[in-house]
Amino acid sequence: MGRLLLVLRIAMKDLRRNRAEAMLLLVAIVAATATLSVALALRGVTSAPYAATRAATAGPAVVAAVQQSSSPPAALTSLEHGRGVVDSSGPYLIAMSNLVVGGHSDPVMAEGRNTSTVSVDQPKLTAGRWVRTGGVVVERSLADLLDLKVGERVGLDNLVGGGTGPGGGPSGGPSGGPGPPAGPGGGHIRAVGPSFTVVGIAVTAALQPSPLSDYAHPSGFPEAGLVWVTRSAAEQLATLEGGAFGYTLNLRLADPGAAPSFAAAHQHGGLFLISWQAIAAKEGLIVSVERAILLTGSSLLGLLALASVALLVGGRMEQQTRRVGLIKAVGGTPALVTGVLLAGQLVLALVAAGVGLVVGWLAAPLLTNPGANLLGRSGVPALALSTIGIVIGAAIVVTVVATVVPAVRASRTSTVSALADAARSPRRASWTIAFSARLPIPILLGMRLAARRRRRAVLSAASVAITVGSLVAVLMFREHANSLDTAVGLGGLYRFAGPGDPLWERGMDVLLVFTVALVLMALVNAVLVTWATVQDSRHATAVERALGASPEQTTLAVVMSQLLSALPGAIVGVPVGIGLYLAVGRHSSGMPSALGVAGVVLLTIAAVAALTAIPARLGARQPVAEVLQSEMA
Amino acid sequence: MQQEVVLALLAKEPSTGSRLRARLNDALGPLGEAMNDGQVYVNLSRLEKTGLIVRETSRAGGRAYQLTPAGQERVAEWLTEVSWPKPDLAEFHLKLVAAAQAGLADPIGIVDAQRRELLRRLRDAGRAAMAEPDDSEAGLLLEGIVLRLQADLRWLEACERRWTKQRGK
Amino acid sequence: MNGSDATIVRARGLRKEYGSGEGLVRAVDEVDLDVARGEALAIMGPSGCGKSTLLQLLGGLDRPTGGELWLAGRSIDRLSERGLAQLRRHDVGFVFQAFHLMDELTAQENVELPALLAGRSPREARQRARQLLERVGLADRAGHLPSALSGGQRQRVAIARSLANEPKLVLADEPTGNLDSGATLEVLRLFEALHTSGLTLVVVTHDERIAATADRLISMRDGAFVDETRLVGGTTGSLGALVGLEG
């Protein structure tokens, strides 16, 4: 027990002495563990809010719809008597329209409803009251998006000509209403419709968050939010010039579990059906996308954290050899030595993991908030024991893997040489030395510098490769998201509709968080490598200066040595990034834009160069004599 | 130079005075010049008087000296003795003290002068030592001189420090 | 331009100070110095007397706080870092107590380095290095790493390195400080040989033996010169008394 305490005491003192490094390491591991814990928190999130909403709104098992029908077709109404159907509501007329408020216009589906309540899909009011003449009830996510409040005045009208109608041209159905039709290529003319007051805000389980793409609603209408109006208002809207419409029907089944097969069985003859499971899956889609991004992201960050720890530990091992010698000289066993070296790192890793868990726990609700269209909150707050276990386990594994090799090597050093502080001597690369002799002096010195510490050069290159790869993947995601296959419980492709689509917004938010964390960690790694290189090369640089190398030459040499590992890393990172994107996106395809890739690579290289140049230049100011004296102290 | 050296040289074989001198010269190298020629003969006659050697007439006609049994015993004894020639520090030390007490001269000046002299000798000895081939016996002797001089110079530096402090009071 | 061609180093009122106010330390305090071409000068003194600092100033490894310093007729006390680097490249060779060889380079590569830094072609540098290693007697160890060389051999490599660019002046800071007596002799012989061939040498040492080989010996204390001795040779005759050969 006493020995354990001794080990811990030495380790803690060690950490206190090297605060800056400890902080850097902390940052790196916190970033990685926070991302991981958020990703893990997203695992069991999906179902609760949707279930709550379904329960509160008497949500349907199946929603059926047709498009472009003058009256509810027999095929639709016959579903009410389908096998297993125990209840239904509708059919309700849906008029495609535009909600105009404050000069801003958004496409909406206006569903005509009775003022009385029904037994299937009765939207639950969260503000105000249900439909009445002249009033419109807005679906909550749409209301949030447009910042609508009860009592505001809005207009529902249509744009004539141009392409917002389904199929792009003026539609069939009863026309009429004021306003001349426009010719092709002509301007958009407003057919002014009735004006309404927002009387209420509600949620429903029968539709996805607004505005989502057509595949969210079986009617096949294009991106539209949902509002409810009186039946007569809906009819009126449907008769407006350019007003497309259809009918929707809500069904409850005896066996809710049979909904998907029911939907599949009746999906024909112009009918569109969607089961509640598919809707639920869609609800969960946002979270699934986030989770996919975060899980991949946290693995990448984990790799970067591994590189950080390895770099840091490698850099410190050289300083530790003398301490190792002392411990051994007073009777410490190699196990004790390894223990001391590991203990410090582990304590740090555990603290960082704890902080990362807390950060992740606090951040997760932001990302798992199901959105305004559903009731209730996701079941995130309770930090699952398994999450804690995995995160802490990951931190420990990363630390041990990065530390164990140098630690074991240090403990095996003979006591004598450790006491004499025979620091790990640099490797020798004969061909590098011979080859570099022909090159200009900064490259000569830089190449030789890089060749001295191969492990560090490789780690640095790997870090840069991961960073560039991740940035390229993010770039591709932004450019190609439309074709991203995120089929999770939904048959077929889901297309991101672009800005305005909550899935898109949410996905981009998460991506941003990940990118920030990535860049942060990459910076940490770059700083660590730079610091280690400058420290390590102090003696060599001082000797070179004593022999006549100018400060400019030696600074440039240090920068060169970094670039010699960063450049190959960046180049390798590009195909890695493409591969990453293709792997995560599954069936997605495509290449990143050349400009984007060039930009990422150049920025990364420039950042590495800048990060190195500054400490190198500062080091070059110190008089040669001082450095040489201190190096031999 | 002690008599026992001559005695020991005769232990190998009987020898004339001139042969002994030659052998000494060989062993001392350049320092052989410093040796007083007469010294050898003086020692030989003293040893004869004390009965440790006898003079014999060799077949070649020269006067060769050789060891008596008593002489042999003395040589054996001498070889195992461990006394080390004493350096003459006391005299110099007293010189400084006397000069300071009587106000005759500045001790530090005396020290400096002595230092310069020893440095010159060190230079000479060093040069001579390096001129000798690596495995020369004389070279070894010169090495000893060099090291002794170094030690004396260090003592002189210590004297200077101490007497400077003294002056400061 | 000051002095004739015969004066390699000229210092007037040279000062190096650290700290300020109460904590002001005068490492080098108003030193005047002239070193003639081909002269061997030894500087001795107790630890902390400033002799190493003085040497570093002469060699452009550090900048003086005040005073004037000329090297081969050129004023160097106000040179920029780049100018000092030039100086170290072409005019001055430095030998350190701790050798300061590059551990990952062979003896040959270590000696080549200054020539490469001065812009010579790799082939020229290699030839020059070989010549120098021969001169210091280590031609057969050219391919060895410093870790495979003894202390004396390492210092000889360092001396060879200091000669790579044919400097006007070689400065040595306690060159035998880390060496045993045998290695000291090796280095001593080398310095003698270099001196004989006309090289200007300034050696800081507290080994009297090394100091005694110089033409001139300066003692330093508390940053200032306190004594100067011109050493002229005598004969070995007078040495006999030291070992009891007389009387």
Side-chain angles (χ1 to χ4, degrees):
Chain A
M1 189 57 200
R3 201 162 323 151
L4 185 63
L5 282 177
L6 172 70
V7 165
L8 280 175
R9 265 193 21 229
I10 299 178
M12 293 302 5
K13 220 190 287 181
D14 192 23
L15 280 178
R16 256 198 295 267
R17 279 187 351 171
N18 293 306
R19 275 200 204 127
E21 301 166 29
M23 283 316 300
L24 281 176
L25 199 59
L26 206 72
V27 167
I29 300 187
V30 164
T33 48
T35 318
L36 184 62
S37 61
V38 171
L40 289 173
L42 294 179
R43 271 181 308 174
V45 166
T46 60
S47 46
Y50 183 72
T53 312
R54 255 197 101 216
T57 61
V62 174
V63 181
V66 291
Q67 213 177 350
Q68 300 293 85
S69 192
S70 52
S71 56
L76 190 67
T77 43
S78 66
L79 284 175
E80 293 174 29
H81 311 291
R83 180 129 46 110
V85 177
V86 297
D87 200 355
S88 70
S89 67
Y92 300 117
L93 175 66
I94 292 192
M96 277 298 291
S97 188
N98 291 292
L99 189 73
V100 182
V101 58
H104 189 72
S105 166
D106 284 278
V108 291
M109 292 181 279
E111 191 171 311
R113 286 291 190 112
N114 298 321
T115 49
S116 54
T117 47
V118 294
S119 54
V120 183
D121 186 28
Q122 178 59 38
K124 175 124 172 89
L125 286 161
T126 56
R129 34 176 292 197
W130 193 228
V131 295
R132 59 168 172 77
T133 314
V136 61
V137 174
V138 182
E139 196 264 331
R140 191 164 75 166
S141 62
L142 180 63
D144 271 3
L145 203 67
L146 300 177
D147 205 18
L148 289 173
K149 304 267 185 314
V150 173
E152 277 192 52
R153 289 195 73 77
V154 299
L156 281 170
D157 62 11
N158 293 320
L159 285 173
V160 180
T164 50
S171 48
S175 62
H188 294 204
I189 302 169
R190 283 220 119 74
V192 180
S195 124
F196 291 83
T197 309
V198 175
V199 296
I201 297 177
V203 295
T204 174
L207 188 65
Q208 276 66 49
S210 130
L212 285 182
S213 77
D214 46 352
Y215 296 103
H217 192 276
S219 62
F221 288 116
E223 298 90 56
L226 184 63
V227 299
W228 296 274
V229 292
T230 56
R231 291 187 106 120
S232 48
E235 278 159 22
Q236 194 186 6
L237 284 172
T239 61
L240 281 182
E241 175 91 28
F245 56 92
Y247 284 91
T248 182
L249 180 72
N250 301 307
L251 299 170
R252 178 177 296 139
L253 298 178
D255 173 18
S261 46
F262 185 95
H266 294 93
Q267 192 106 298
H268 54 78
L271 285 180
F272 297 88
L273 285 88
I274 187 169
S275 64
W276 72 273
Q277 286 93 335
I279 300 177
K282 259 317 302 308
E283 296 299 344
L285 193 60
I286 296 179
V287 173
S288 312
V289 168
E290 291 172 353
R291 194 169 65 220
I293 295 176
L294 286 175
L295 271 177
T296 316
S298 60
S299 336
L300 290 170
L301 292 182
L303 283 175
L304 277 182
L306 186 66
S308 295
V309 177
L311 282 169
L312 194 62
V313 164
R316 289 234 257 123
M317 278 308 137
E318 281 133 38
Q319 298 175 10
Q320 299 281 33
T321 30
R322 185 141 190 281
R323 159 115 25 97
V324 167
L326 282 170
I327 295 177
K328 289 180 80 177
V330 299
T333 59
L336 184 67
V337 169
T338 315
V340 168
L341 295 171
L342 263 180
Q345 305 296 131
L346 276 177
V347 165
L348 206 57
L350 286 174
V351 168
V355 173
L357 273 170
V358 169
V359 169
W361 177 56
L362 291 173
L366 299 173
L367 294 174
T368 59
N369 184 349
N373 68 306
L374 294 179
L375 294 174
R377 308 205 62 83
S378 315
V380 166
L383 210 51
L385 226 61
S386 59
T387 305
I388 299 179
I390 293 179
V391 169
I392 292 188
I396 292 180
V397 164
V398 163
T399 306
V400 168
V401 165
T403 314
V404 78
V405 167
V408 166
R409 195 189 312 144
S411 70
R412 291 238 183 97
T413 323
S414 91
T415 314
V416 170
S417 56
L419 278 175
D421 203 11
R424 190 164 58 92
S425 48
R427 299 272 213 92
R428 176 189 161 77
S430 316
W431 72 269
T432 315
I433 295 173
F435 179 66
S436 60
R438 300 163 207 286
L439 301 171
I441 292 178
I443 306 185
L444 185 166
L445 298 175
M447 260 190 95
R448 292 186 180 188
L449 252 184
R452 281 161 62 100
R453 300 281 181 212
R454 254 169 256 161
R455 188 164 153 270
R456 186 179 303 144
V458 167
L459 281 173
S460 165
S463 272
V464 172
I466 294 176
T467 309
V468 167
S470 306
L471 289 174
V472 165
V474 167
L475 200 71
M476 290 182 77
F477 191 85
R478 288 193 78 99
E479 289 170 2
H480 295 284
N482 290 346
S483 62
L484 193 64
D485 178 357
T486 53
V488 181
L490 261 189
L493 288 170
Y494 176 78
R495 291 182 194 287
F496 284 105
D501 178 351
L503 219 63
W504 169 268
E505 296 294 324
R506 193 70 79 76
M508 288 302 122
D509 285 344
V510 171
L511 216 53
L512 185 67
V513 166
F514 163 65
T515 310
V516 167
L518 176 82
V519 169
L520 192 66
M521 291 205 53
L523 282 176
V524 165
N525 271 10
V527 168
L528 282 175
V529 171
T530 304
W531 165 83
T533 306
V534 169
Q535 280 295 100
D536 192 43
S537 65
R538 265 163 50 104
H539 177 249
T541 308
V543 172
E544 286 156 6
R545 280 178 63 202
L547 296 176
S550 71
E552 288 78 23
Q553 286 172 326
T554 51
T555 308
L556 208 55
V558 177
V559 173
M560 277 283 124
S561 74
Q562 294 288 76
L563 290 181
L564 278 169
S565 59
L567 198 58
I571 294 176
V572 164
V574 174
V576 164
I578 296 177
L580 196 65
Y581 171 74
L582 293 176
V584 170
R586 270 170 268 183
H587 307 300
S588 46
S589 61
M591 296 294 285
S593 69
L595 205 63
V597 167
V600 165
V601 169
L602 286 172
L603 266 176
T604 311
I605 299 291
V608 169
L611 269 176
T612 320
I614 298 169
R617 189 73 182 98
L618 289 177
R621 285 185 198 283
Q622 214 186 358
V624 178
E626 263 183 57
V627 181
L628 285 176
Q629 227 124 299
S630 63
E631 287 300 312
M632 283 297 145
Chain B
M1 184 172 52
Q2 292 189 310
Q3 300 171 24
E4 279 82 356
V5 171
V6 173
L7 205 61
L9 281 174
L10 286 170
K12 180 187 175 193
E13 63 193 358
S15 207
T16 58
S18 49
R19 270 270 299 286
L20 276 176
R21 244 186 48 223
R23 281 168 65 193
L24 275 167
N25 268 332
D26 277 339
L28 290 174
L31 292 170
E33 291 169 25
M35 191 179 57
N36 193 336
D37 275 357
Q39 196 65 22
V40 182
Y41 292 100
V42 168
N43 282 328
L44 281 171
S45 56
R46 281 207 195 121
L47 286 167
E48 212 183 343
K49 282 211 188 87
T50 50
L52 295 171
I53 58 176
V54 286
R55 198 191 305 195
E56 298 283 325
T57 313
S58 75
R59 286 175 289 117
R63 307 286 205 85
Y65 296 87
Q66 80 176 45
L67 291 176
T68 62
Q72 280 170 344
E73 229 182 278
R74 182 73 196 109
V75 171
E77 227 176 65
W78 184 72
L79 285 174
T80 58
E81 275 172 18
V82 288
S83 69
W84 194 250
K86 273 186 289 196
D88 205 353
L89 300 181
E91 190 185 302
F92 186 74
H93 178 71
L94 292 170
K95 193 195 286 188
L96 295 177
V97 170
Q101 284 176 349
L104 287 169
D106 182 9
I108 293 179
I110 299 176
V111 172
D112 280 344
Q114 186 69 66
R115 257 187 80 232
R116 269 185 224 117
E117 174 58 27
L118 287 190
L119 277 168
R120 285 189 196 106
R121 293 195 187 185
L122 178 56
R123 180 186 168 86
D124 297 337
R127 282 244 170 93
M130 284 203 294
E132 290 290 318
D134 272 334
D135 46 2
S136 123
E137 287 169 351
L140 200 52
L141 176 60
L142 290 161
E143 191 66 23
I145 295 178
V146 165
L147 291 169
R148 275 292 184 85
L149 284 168
Q150 274 187 282
D152 289 339
L153 276 165
R154 280 195 203 144
W155 182 65
L156 286 177
E157 271 170 52
C159 289
E160 185 168 5
R161 279 199 299 273
R162 160 68 174 63
W163 283 98
T164 308
K165 236 188 269 172
Q166 181 84 340
R167 189 205 281 174
K169 286 191 186 150
Chain C
M1 290 275 273
N2 276 291
S4 65
D5 206 21
T7 308
I8 296 283
V9 176
R10 193 185 182 83
R12 292 287 176 269
L14 203 58
R15 279 187 355 254
K16 179 71 185 178
E17 289 159 2
Y18 298 105
S20 62
E22 287 269 312
L24 186 70
V25 172
R26 291 203 173 84
V28 175
D29 194 1
E30 306 281 337
V31 161
D32 294 341
L33 177 64
D34 284 285
V35 179
R37 183 189 293 277
E39 186 180 5
L41 175 67
I43 305 180
M44 289 186 75
S47 323
C49 69
K51 51 193 198 291
S52 290
T53 313
L54 175 62
L55 208 68
Q56 285 155 13
L57 292 176
L58 295 181
L61 290 176
D62 204 351
R63 284 236 204 69
T65 319
E68 296 167 320
L69 186 57
W70 289 269
L71 192 72
R74 226 175 61 190
S75 170
I76 67 169
D77 44 78
R78 298 276 172 268
L79 273 185
S80 66
E81 263 308 313
R82 201 183 310 171
L84 288 177
Q86 274 265 6
L87 187 82
R88 288 178 234 133
R89 214 177 293 166
H90 296 294
D91 299 329
V92 169
F94 218 99
V95 178
F96 300 94
Q97 179 176 0
F99 325 133
H100 287 301
L101 297 175
M102 305 276 244
D103 292 323
E104 75 273 20
L105 298 180
T106 62
Q108 167 109 2
E109 287 156 359
N110 263 294
V111 179
E112 281 173 10
L113 192 52
L116 289 175
L117 288 175
R120 305 251 199 114
S121 77
R123 191 180 314 143
E124 277 179 51
R126 207 178 315 134
Q127 265 178 0
R128 179 100 184 116
R130 268 205 210 109
Q131 280 171 11
L132 289 169
L133 283 173
E134 255 187 64
R135 197 165 161 193
V136 302
L138 286 173
D140 56 335
R141 301 268 191 193
H144 287 230
L145 290 174
S147 53
L149 298 172
S150 71
Q153 290 169 333
R154 281 187 227 177
Q155 194 62 298
R156 278 150 66 194
V157 172
I159 293 172
R161 180 179 70 179
S162 72
L163 299 169
N165 287 333
E166 284 159 17
K168 301 190 173 66
L169 175 67
V170 169
L171 304 171
D173 191 352
E174 307 273 10
T176 58
N178 286 4
L179 305 179
D180 63 25
S181 52
T184 301
L185 256 175
E186 286 174 35
V187 170
L188 202 56
R189 267 188 238 260
L190 194 48
F191 275 153
E192 272 287 296
L194 290 174
H195 182 205
T196 317
S197 68
L199 189 65
T200 314
L201 203 53
V202 177
V203 180
V204 158
T205 181
H206 58 240
D207 183 336
E208 298 80 2
R209 183 172 192 170
I210 307 273
T213 62
D215 298 326
R216 196 160 45 119
L217 171 60
I218 293 181
S219 301
M220 226 175 138
R221 192 180 303 133
D222 295 328
F225 287 173
V226 292
D227 193 47
E228 186 175 314
T229 309
R230 200 158 272 287
L231 299 168
V232 281
T235 64
T236 48
S238 52
L239 291 172
L242 294 169
V243 286
L245 282 177
E246 285 155 21

